Amino acid sequence: MSVLKLGQTLIDDGGKIPWQVTEITLRQLRYFAVLARVLQYRRAAQQLEISQPSLSLQINALEEAIGAQLLERKRSGLILTPAGRDVAQKAIGILAEVDGLMHRSTSGESGLGGTLRLGSSPTIAPYLMPRVLRRLHEKYPELKLIIRDGPSKDLVEDLLAGKHDLILTQAPVGHDEVSFHPLFREPLLLAVDTASPLARSKSARLQDLSSLTFITLDPAYTLHRQIKDVCELAGAKLRMDFEGTSLDALRQMVSLGMGVTLVPGLYSRSEVERADSDVCTIPLSPPRLRQIGLAWRKSSGTPVAFVEMAEHIRDVARSEFADCVKL
């Protein structure tokens, strides 16, 4: 009787025709899981940081190994075949088990150690993480923390694609497969140039904003939605001909009198509240707050390392930024 083993040439019981059983790899399953979620080869390849031809080769190999077509091309894009839906569901389950096993083996009961890949919004990390990293380096000298910045939308997609272990972002994350763990709330402040009549105000109400023109970040950032919401509530104008990719770009536009914007409290403390600044920030009344937290895949469970990372970030916020955040 023949024994079925992946990746080996087998002979049936009659000793007739050999055939090759193609091995299914975790890489193929991960690539297919991402492609099944976004249903675009170009977008999936970008998230996986590979070329489209490489992605196509891996998907073709997976289809050959399974012996079924997993995707169909339509004018509107890709759709999953019945077999594709079944394989996608099973692939997600397999990857979740492997993901959980990896985190149990690398962090488990030992806490922070090894290598962690942290994705973070550029509106948060530069003004918070240097203080956190200093503490982590002192307590966990063997920890290797790899930090990559990206817009909120990309962070979540890259987290699901496996590029990040966890992300530092703001709520809402907008995906059922991601767990969000709140750390602190951060106020959004009105940024105006120092020549503005509002620059001398102690606070700004919504009705004070109705005649102003706001500039904002690219829609890929959650902050864009928050600025847009304030504009709609106040009856203010939102410029559509400029969308920044950084808070510094917005600040420079404000300093030139091109409009006003909202900036986070940590950014204001780091970059705006200086004696030589040509921009000033004003609290809103009532306050507008954004919720900052760590997020990771639900399939990861609740690793000790992630919990400890959250505690360290929260401790830094409490001890070093108590004047501009709320726990």
Side-chain angles (χ1 to χ4, degrees):
M1 179 178 178
S2 300
V3 179
L4 181 64
K5 293 184 179 180
L6 294 179
Q8 293 188 353
T9 301
L10 305 181
I11 305 295
D12 69 7
D13 289 335
K16 297 179 180 178
I17 302 174
W19 68 91
Q20 184 73 21
V21 177
T22 306
E23 187 177 59
I24 296 175
T25 66
L26 288 175
R27 175 182 297 177
Q28 291 167 355
L29 294 179
R30 185 165 72 89
Y31 286 6
F32 181 67
V34 173
L35 183 59
R37 179 165 48 82
V38 302
L39 293 176
Q40 287 183 4
Y41 271 98
R42 177 186 59 79
R43 190 173 164 194
Q46 287 176 342
Q47 288 189 26
L48 294 164
E49 295 185 329
I50 61 173
S51 67
Q52 288 189 54
S54 295
L55 176 59
S56 295
L57 284 174
Q58 293 293 334
I59 300 303
N60 290 340
L62 180 62
E63 288 182 322
E64 181 180 346
I66 292 172
Q69 182 180 356
L70 304 178
L71 296 150
E72 294 181 15
R73 291 183 180 272
K74 301 292 183 181
R75 289 184 179 179
S76 57
L78 297 173
I79 62 171
L80 292 171
T81 64
R85 290 195 298 270
D86 183 54
V87 171
Q89 183 178 6
K90 286 182 169 60
I92 291 171
I94 292 169
L95 293 170
E97 291 292 330
V98 173
D99 189 49
L101 179 62
M102 289 179 63
H103 285 303
R104 278 193 292 272
S105 63
T106 57
S107 56
E109 298 301 325
S110 62
L112 286 166
T115 300
L116 280 180
R117 299 166 298 171
L118 174 69
S120 178
S121 167
T123 69
I124 305 172
Y127 320 106
L128 172 67
M129 288 307 295
R131 310 285 184 95
V132 177
L133 289 173
R134 183 176 61 193
R135 293 195 179 193
L136 291 175
H137 179 70
E138 292 173 355
K139 189 169 182 179
Y140 307 99
E142 301 302 318
L143 172 65
K144 183 179 180 182
L145 187 62
I146 301 173
I147 302 178
R148 290 185 177 180
D149 283 349
S152 312
K153 182 175 179 293
D154 292 350
L155 286 177
V156 174
E157 292 185 349
D158 289 343
L159 175 69
L160 293 170
K163 287 174 62 176
H164 306 310
D165 296 314
L166 65 169
I167 58 175
L168 179 64
T169 187
Q170 67 179 104
V173 293
H175 204 288
D176 292 340
E177 295 177 30
V178 176
S179 296
F180 182 82
H181 302 262
L183 297 173
F184 58 84
R185 293 178 298 159
E186 182 183 20
L188 298 178
L189 308 174
L190 178 68
V192 302
D193 70 277
T194 53
S196 169
L198 280 172
R200 295 180 291 275
S201 303
K202 292 185 178 180
S203 64
R205 301 165 300 173
L206 282 177
Q207 52 264 43
D208 300 326
L209 312 180
S210 59
S211 62
L212 303 180
T213 299
F214 279 76
I215 53 178
T216 185
L217 292 174
D218 182 276
Y221 294 86
T222 306
L223 188 58
H224 171 93
R225 178 72 255 179
Q226 293 171 306
I227 294 174
K228 186 176 180 181
D229 287 345
V230 168
C231 286
E232 292 174 353
L233 289 171
K237 179 182 177 182
L238 182 64
R239 287 190 65 156
M240 305 303 294
D241 59 343
F242 175 83
E243 290 176 344
T245 56
S246 71
L247 293 174
D248 283 341
L250 294 186
R251 177 170 56 84
Q252 291 181 22
M253 291 288 287
V254 170
S255 71
L256 295 173
M258 304 299 291
V260 303
T261 193
L262 299 181
V263 297
L266 291 177
Y267 174 81
S268 176
R269 175 173 165 173
S270 173
E271 305 297 328
V272 179
E273 297 171 16
R274 305 191 311 263
D276 61 343
S277 178
D278 48 9
V279 171
C280 65
T281 52
I282 307 157
L284 295 176
S285 180
R288 306 286 294 188
L289 302 171
R290 66 174 186 169
Q291 178 70 65
I292 305 300
L294 278 177
W296 55 80
R297 294 179 296 278
K298 288 183 178 178
S299 60
S300 298
T302 309
V304 173
F306 294 3
V307 174
E308 288 192 12
M309 177 68 73
E311 290 174 351
H312 280 287
I313 295 175
R314 193 179 291 110
D315 285 345
V316 168
R318 180 186 297 110
S319 62
E320 302 191 37
F321 299 103
D323 58 329
C324 61
V325 303
K326 296 181 182 296
L327 296 175

